[in-house]
Amino acid sequence: MASLLLLSSLALLALAAPPLEDSNVLRSRAVSDTLADLLNNLQDGVSAKDIKQSILPDYWSIPETKAITKALGLNETGIRALPLEFLNIPGYANYTSQGWNLRIHGMSYKQALSDPGVVSNRTLDKAANKFLPDFDVSQLQPHEQDNARNLTSAVLSLPQEGEGLSFTLDVSEGQDFNSGWTGVVEWAKTTDSRGEIDGFVQLPTNNQDDLPDGNATNAKVVQLNVHTNGTNTGNATAYLVPRDGITIVSDIDDILRITKIYEPKEGLLNSFARDFVPWMNMPGIFANWTRQHPDSPYHFHYLTTTPEQATRVYMDFIYKTYPLGSFDTRSLNFTTVDQTFSVRKTLLNKIFQTFPNRKFILIGDTTNNDVMNDYPELVSTFPGQVQCILLRNTTATDPGDKFPYNTKGFQSLKQEQYMFFTTSDDLIGLDFGNGDCRNASAQMGTVDFSWQGLPLKKSAAGGRVRGNTWAALIVMVAFVVFL
Ligand SMILES: *[C@@H]1O[C@H](CO)[C@@H](O)[C@H](O)[C@H]1NC(C)=O
Ligand SMILES: *[C@@H]1O[C@H](CO)[C@@H](O)[C@H](O)[C@H]1NC(C)=O
Ligand SMILES: *[C@@H]1O[C@H](CO)[C@@H](O)[C@H](O)[C@H]1NC(C)=O
Ligand SMILES: *[C@@H]1O[C@H](CO)[C@@H](O)[C@H](O)[C@H]1NC(C)=O
Ligand SMILES: *[C@@H]1O[C@H](CO)[C@@H](O)[C@H](O)[C@H]1NC(C)=O
Ligand SMILES: *[C@@H]1O[C@H](CO)[C@@H](O)[C@H](O)[C@H]1NC(C)=O
Ligand SMILES: *[C@@H]1O[C@H](CO)[C@@H](O)[C@H](O)[C@H]1NC(C)=O
Ligand SMILES: *[C@@H]1O[C@H](CO)[C@@H](O)[C@H](O)[C@H]1NC(C)=O
Ligand SMILES: *[C@@H]1O[C@H](CO)[C@@H](O)[C@H](O)[C@H]1NC(C)=O
Ligand SMILES: *[C@@H]1O[C@H](CO)[C@@H](O)[C@H](O)[C@H]1NC(C)=O
Ligand SMILES: *[C@@H]1O[C@H](CO)[C@@H](O)[C@H](O)[C@H]1NC(C)=O
């Protein structure tokens, strides 16, 4: 059993290496090597070219249902007795000639680790410890212990296939628009093998005043409540987004919260134990943006490639700290090598295609290679839709950030279409409704369009950077094998 699990984790580990020229070598070597050899190899370091995007997402997706079920000693009867839960991810809707077209996406699952009747607290803590290098859950503060157990339990939830779902919707109270409309959507397909559904549905209406006119000048984003049948856990807000206006798309890790993804041990502690902490005064900046144009307020969309299982923890933090808005995380159905590295692109393309008339502000930081490629690429793929790309230069404030990043994608952009910034104060007063993007008084160097922050010559010859990037990955391999 262990070898089977080891193989599947190694396959996934190899997955984390991008499809570059030496990735096949790396993959076949990883699968055939012993764990000890693998550890030795990885401790040497990893090619700068191999760092395609932030690392946290990749090892989080390692455990699979079968592996979890086996490792936790669960049986059919025990699983059947658990309540069905549904993660309803807040979606956006566009206005078409047939009315509102709403994206519903989410995942049905069961959470074996949250119920001490099925899995003991001792087992849960043992699992949580695997995510906490150098620490034992018992050494944490009580609320940190809760956080660690909470996220561990979520990450190890069991997706449920073949579930039929229906949703009831109504207009949220306390808005300018209130028609008393309610609707029911029966989802046509049952959940797939990963427990997921994802698609658009036309909202049912009886007359044209039931829902707002999304083509009207100065139309506002209207919120709907969405409830999922058969569970208390499937409530969400959906956003009816007008045809015209500005949408702010923001990543979360290391831009809206302190993660330090580039220091894996810190990254794990900040994700699995500590409370989520905002980065600088980004909450104040975002709060000001909500008030900037009351006649046509911005639509906020949070797009992170964190695995779907961690979505609740991310949403919980965002909605307590930042303006309400729709959400996207890494769906579980990105399984091939290519898909794993194109999650962000797929999600960005989807929202750009859904709102061809809106202007987009894209926010992120330099530690994500997919951000560095995908954001500027949208400028040519969707002409006229990108107003501004704002990227936190993580290295400028955080010398611990050793992730190299490539600014090449920005070479063909006009200077007024993007800004690399240092502190959240650099964003004060930017008015997107007035077409702003750059802050003339912020300290900015000239951008050299190539790889930045590559390791010193000696190691660069072998294209190697520090191997601790991968230490966290090894933790997960150990977890799946030895739990
Ligand atoms: C199945 O799991 C349940 C709950 O964990 C347990 O009470 C029961 O004894 C198990 N049955 C078998 C046959 O292992
Ligand atoms: C809204 O405007 C678009 C053109 O941008 C048009 O195709 C669509 O039919 C309009 N919708 C309604 C309901 O009038
Ligand atoms: C397990 O932990 C939860 C809180 O994390 C606690 O409420 C519960 O009493 C614990 N169960 C046992 C059997 O210790
Ligand atoms: C699976 O991935 C594709 C992108 O490759 C996406 O369009 C689709 O909505 C995803 N989810 C489901 C449940 O099909
Ligand atoms: C929820 O609705 C779907 C579709 O109508 C149905 O197949 C399913 O049985 C319902 N689930 C519950 C728990 O009522
Ligand atoms: C979800 O909504 C239903 C219906 O309004 C409500 O009864 C339930 O308490 C809500 N669940 C949660 C977790 O808030
Ligand atoms: C928010 O706006 C107020 C009023 O324009 C301004 O004084 C303040 O500096 C702004 N704060 C941030 C963090 O943007
Ligand atoms: C676990 O996380 C969820 C979502 O963030 C939150 O609603 C819940 O209160 C958390 N539980 C604990 C014990 O922290
Ligand atoms: C609405 O969104 C769908 C799904 O992305 C897209 O195919 C369609 O073209 C959009 N319609 C309009 C009018 O923008
Ligand atoms: C980021 O900051 C570092 C350190 O201040 C600087 O060397 C680098 O040129 C900056 N990168 C960009 C793209 O502005
Ligand atoms: C620009 O950046 C400076 C320094 O970070 C800040 O004081 C100022 O408010 C920012 N905004 C504008 C519009 O200049």
Side-chain angles (χ1 to χ4, degrees):
M1 182 196 87
S3 65
L4 206 152
L5 291 178
L6 177 62
L7 264 186
S8 72
S9 4
L10 290 184
L12 275 150
L13 177 64
L15 244 180
L20 292 167
E21 66 249 27
D22 52 284
S23 75
N24 283 333
V25 179
L26 205 146
R27 199 173 336 151
S28 55
R29 198 178 60 208
V31 173
S32 63
D33 275 353
T34 64
L35 182 61
D37 286 345
L38 185 81
L39 289 170
N40 288 334
N41 283 340
L42 291 177
Q43 273 156 8
D44 285 340
V46 52
S47 163
K49 289 182 302 180
D50 291 348
I51 304 171
K52 276 273 257 191
Q53 60 180 20
S54 60
I55 54 138
L56 273 174
D58 296 318
Y59 67 87
W60 277 11
S61 51
I62 286 179
E64 288 184 329
T65 304
K66 275 195 194 129
I68 298 167
T69 312
K70 275 189 172 172
L72 299 177
L74 299 174
N75 64 41
E76 292 263 322
T77 326
I79 294 174
R80 209 175 306 130
L82 292 168
L84 184 74
E85 306 191 37
F86 185 72
L87 170 71
N88 190 353
I89 303 176
Y92 46 71
N94 67 350
Y95 196 59
T96 69
S97 47
Q98 280 90 50
W100 289 99
N101 176 50
L102 172 68
R103 178 163 172 225
I104 296 185
H105 56 145
M107 169 185 148
S108 62
Y109 63 95
K110 292 188 171 187
Q111 216 168 303
L113 284 146
S114 65
D115 186 340
V118 177
V119 172
S120 70
N121 279 6
R122 213 183 124 259
T123 306
L124 175 53
D125 285 357
K126 214 169 138 194
N129 279 339
K130 304 296 176 185
F131 294 99
L132 299 165
D134 301 342
F135 268 99
D136 190 281
V137 167
S138 62
Q139 295 170 288
L140 301 170
Q141 299 297 314
H143 73 280
E144 293 178 339
Q145 294 180 353
D146 280 347
N147 290 343
R149 289 175 183 142
N150 203 353
L151 190 50
T152 303
S153 155
V155 167
L156 301 181
S157 61
L158 307 167
Q160 298 298 303
E161 182 180 0
E163 299 293 341
L165 297 166
S166 77
F167 302 92
T168 53
L169 303 98
D170 60 89
V171 178
S172 307
E173 284 178 10
Q175 304 182 91
D176 291 352
F177 181 85
N178 204 339
S179 62
W181 172 87
T182 61
V184 175
V185 167
E186 301 257 342
W187 201 254
K189 287 188 197 164
T190 58
T191 55
D192 67 13
S193 62
R194 296 174 185 91
E196 294 178 308
I197 60 162
D198 187 359
F200 286 88
V201 63
Q202 215 68 43
L203 293 183
T205 50
N206 291 319
N207 62 68
Q208 61 174 17
D209 297 328
D210 280 348
L211 292 173
D213 174 3
N215 280 358
T217 39
N218 290 341
K220 290 179 187 164
V221 177
V222 168
Q223 294 169 23
L224 303 180
N225 299 316
V226 188
H227 302 282
T228 313
N229 71 325
T231 172
N232 231 344
T233 58
N235 297 348
T237 305
Y239 299 84
L240 306 182
V241 183
R243 181 191 55 187
D244 301 305
I246 289 175
T247 290
I248 297 179
V249 175
S250 185
D251 189 23
I252 297 175
D253 285 309
D254 287 312
I255 175 72
L256 301 188
R257 81 170 186 106
I258 298 171
T259 311
K260 294 190 189 276
I261 247 166
Y262 36 84
E263 294 177 33
K265 278 184 188 173
E266 278 292 293
L268 285 168
L269 277 177
N270 287 332
S271 300
F272 277 89
R274 298 177 184 140
D275 292 334
F276 282 19
V277 174
W279 178 65
M280 291 193 163
N281 191 22
M282 290 305 274
I285 299 285
F286 271 64
N288 267 13
W289 285 337
T290 63
R291 294 187 283 265
Q292 215 158 50
H293 291 277
D295 283 347
S296 59
Y298 306 145
H299 160 224
F300 292 86
H301 182 69
Y302 301 96
L303 194 161
T304 161
T305 55
T306 283
E308 202 161 73
Q309 300 96 316
T311 307
R312 281 189 202 278
V313 180
Y314 274 70
M315 290 197 302
D316 198 46
F317 165 73
I318 289 294
Y319 296 144
K320 267 193 252 167
T321 323
Y322 290 97
L324 293 180
S326 44
F327 230 89
D328 258 323
T329 47
R330 172 193 299 255
S331 141
L332 299 184
N333 78 340
F334 287 90
T335 49
T336 69
V337 173
D338 280 354
Q339 286 169 344
T340 298
F341 292 106
S342 65
V343 186
R344 193 183 305 271
K345 191 172 176 167
T346 305
L347 298 174
L348 285 166
N349 283 346
K350 196 169 286 192
I351 191 169
F352 270 67
Q353 278 154 6
T354 306
F355 301 107
N357 273 50
R358 294 183 74 86
K359 299 259 184 267
F360 287 83
I361 311 297
L362 303 169
I363 303 178
D365 72 283
T366 52
T367 56
N368 291 283
N369 260 292
D370 55 353
V371 163
M372 297 301 288
N373 291 327
D374 299 344
Y375 279 7
E377 202 176 291
L378 290 163
V379 174
S380 46
T381 313
F382 298 95
Q385 282 181 251
V386 178
Q387 177 174 322
C388 183
I389 301 175
L390 297 169
L391 289 174
R392 171 192 170 198
N393 181 347
T394 319
T395 330
T397 43
D398 231 330
D401 174 15
K402 302 276 189 255
F403 271 20
Y405 60 94
N406 198 342
T407 50
K408 202 165 190 337
F410 290 82
Q411 190 155 18
S412 59
L413 269 55
K414 297 196 191 90
Q415 211 189 44
E416 60 270 22
Q417 284 179 307
Y418 66 91
M419 174 170 82
F420 289 95
F421 65 95
T422 308
T423 72
S424 61
D425 280 357
D426 296 339
L427 305 179
I428 290 179
L430 284 183
D431 185 337
F432 305 126
N434 282 353
D436 289 358
C437 180
R438 284 175 87 87
N439 174 350
S441 53
Q443 299 279 334
M444 282 177 284
T446 34
V447 179
D448 169 21
F449 298 106
S450 62
W451 277 100
Q452 310 291 307
L454 279 178
L456 298 172
K457 277 276 180 307
K458 182 170 143 270
S459 45
R464 301 272 141 186
V465 295
R466 289 173 53 207
N468 68 346
T469 317
W470 292 74
L473 254 168
I474 295 160
V475 172
M476 272 311 303
V477 173
F479 165 69
V480 178
V481 179
F482 304 119
L483 182 87

